[in-house]
Amino acid sequence: MATIMPFRAVRPKPEHAAQVAAPPYDVVSLDTARDVADGNPYCFLRVGRAELELADGVDPYSTAVYKRGAANLQKFLDDNILAREPHPMFGVYRQHWGTHEQTGLVALASIDEYDQGLIKKHELTRPVKEKDRVQVIETHNSQSGPVLLFFRRSSQFGSWLTDVTNTQPDCRFTADDGVEHTVWSLRDDAAIETMIEKFKNVDALYIADGHHRSAAASRVQAARADNSGQPSQEEGFLSVIFPHDELQILPYNRVVRDLNGHTPQQFFDALTANYDVKPTTQPGQALKAGFDVYLEGRWHRAIPKLTPEQRAWMEKNPVKALAVSVLTDRVLTPLLGITDQRSDPRIDFVGGIHPPKTLAAKVDAGEWAVAFWLYPTTVDELMAVADAKDIMPPKSTWFEPKLRDGLFVHMLGDE
């Protein structure tokens, strides 16, 4: 059973949607945020990443930054750029990027069900990022960046939201990155109740992207209950919910600063003990559980050598079957000496939105010694890990396209 709730969304007026909508604040650097917001007084990065308006060197976790973001959110409302919906509603949000299209329901998911483990996770959170999101929610008294959730599609969701998406949308625009964003409203009380009832038959919701946001929402709700001395009042957390077969996961690739004392030839010799390694002129198409590796100006494709017993064991251990786990267990730790990918400065991560030439350029520039383009984690693999209540290695998934911030805001206590 999955509980979803309509809410009185704060939204940009349709004519301002393209101006307001912004990339998630935590996937852009400060310099990029300033470039994106330059000349646009209503870019939502001015709410989520308000330090872009302050002096260089300001602590991004300071009270001044959070208060500036809250003031900007209020200004957007005062200037009639954003407006509150008069009644609880659902949104429908479609993204179209090249040949890929995904359509999600904008709703509140249950914090209580998150706390009970009924909304399934697959990664750990970092305390500093979780605390940051708590401060944003508390200071702004709102949730803005939505959590990307998904569910295993069943026959009852075969024609997913077509009754809504066949109507005239509220707004449609194409962002600078080429992703088309389209938004509809679902305000009919009967249709809202039907959707709520359908989700009661959903076995589970899964977090795709937004572990820190959902964890922060839980912490804020618990803290407010503790401060009031009353049982917690279910607020829900802002989410966009997709069927599993509409999501797209790109690889989360790696660059490593040195070869841990190995010469390039020694590294390749060690690699061939566990992999079939051959040159490739088409990097970026790594085979299942394998990777493409760039070293000394050339790409090679590495396919793991697995015995039937190893394959059978991996099938029973969903985390160990991931390409990133195979790379970690066979290369990063034993050959390159990287034991903690969360903290080791010798490794960095590059989302699959960037092409193989980006990885090659990093190595060719001399700052990094070797690059790995991974076979991407699949949605089925993610569900298997989450169902087993297991945790993926750091940076195992890169979902694309990203949900834009600012198209829907949930004001706490505004039901």
Side-chain angles (χ1 to χ4, degrees), residues 134-352:
V134 167
Q135 290 298 110
V136 169
I137 296 173
E138 287 281 23
T139 309
H140 297 187
N141 198 38
S142 67
Q143 302 161 354
S144 52
V147 176
L148 175 58
L149 297 177
F150 69 94
F151 63 97
R152 198 186 303 269
R153 189 200 292 265
S154 63
S155 58
Q156 66 175 317
F157 291 101
S159 55
W160 172 240
L161 298 173
T162 53
D163 289 346
V164 180
T165 57
N166 285 334
T167 65
Q168 183 68 24
D170 298 345
C171 65
R172 177 182 287 124
F173 63 91
T174 300
D176 291 341
D177 58 5
V179 179
E180 181 185 76
H181 303 265
T182 309
V183 173
W184 294 263
S185 300
L186 182 56
R187 298 188 177 95
D188 179 76
D189 289 342
I192 288 173
E193 190 59 35
T194 296
M195 190 61 66
I196 292 171
E197 290 300 314
K198 280 187 176 182
F199 268 90
K200 288 181 179 179
N201 295 319
V202 169
D203 290 337
L205 293 175
Y206 298 81
I207 299 175
D209 204 0
H211 285 78
H212 292 91
R213 293 166 183 171
S214 48
S218 172
R219 285 179 54 182
V220 169
Q221 177 170 290
R224 292 190 173 195
D226 289 344
N227 291 336
S228 69
Q230 301 295 323
S232 63
Q233 180 179 354
E234 174 75 88
E235 284 276 6
F237 61 87
L238 182 64
S239 61
V240 186
I241 309 169
F242 295 89
H244 79 284
D245 53 0
E246 291 193 12
L247 292 182
Q248 176 175 244
I249 305 179
L250 303 182
Y252 218 148
N253 302 309
R254 270 76 170 147
V255 288
V256 178
R257 199 171 298 279
D258 59 68
L259 297 180
N260 196 33
H262 300 293
T263 66
Q265 188 59 53
Q266 288 171 337
F267 176 75
F268 271 119
D269 288 345
L271 201 60
T272 57
N274 288 309
Y275 291 86
D276 290 320
V277 183
K278 297 179 180 179
T280 180
T281 58
Q282 295 182 314
Q285 301 177 27
L287 301 180
K288 186 171 178 62
F291 57 84
D292 292 341
V293 55
Y294 185 79
L295 178 64
E296 290 202 310
R298 297 181 66 188
W299 282 100
H300 290 76
R301 178 151 298 152
I303 303 171
K305 300 175 182 176
L306 298 171
T307 65
E309 292 77 15
Q310 287 173 321
R311 292 185 185 278
W313 180 77
M314 288 168 61
E315 288 176 0
K316 297 178 181 178
N317 296 271
V319 170
K320 293 298 183 181
L322 302 175
V324 63
S325 296
V326 178
L327 176 72
T328 299
D329 294 343
R330 294 182 168 218
V331 180
L332 295 181
T333 298
L335 295 184
L336 298 179
I338 294 171
T339 58
D340 186 354
Q341 294 183 57
R342 295 180 184 275
S343 61
D344 196 323
R346 295 174 53 237
I347 191 169
D348 200 7
F349 309 90
V350 182

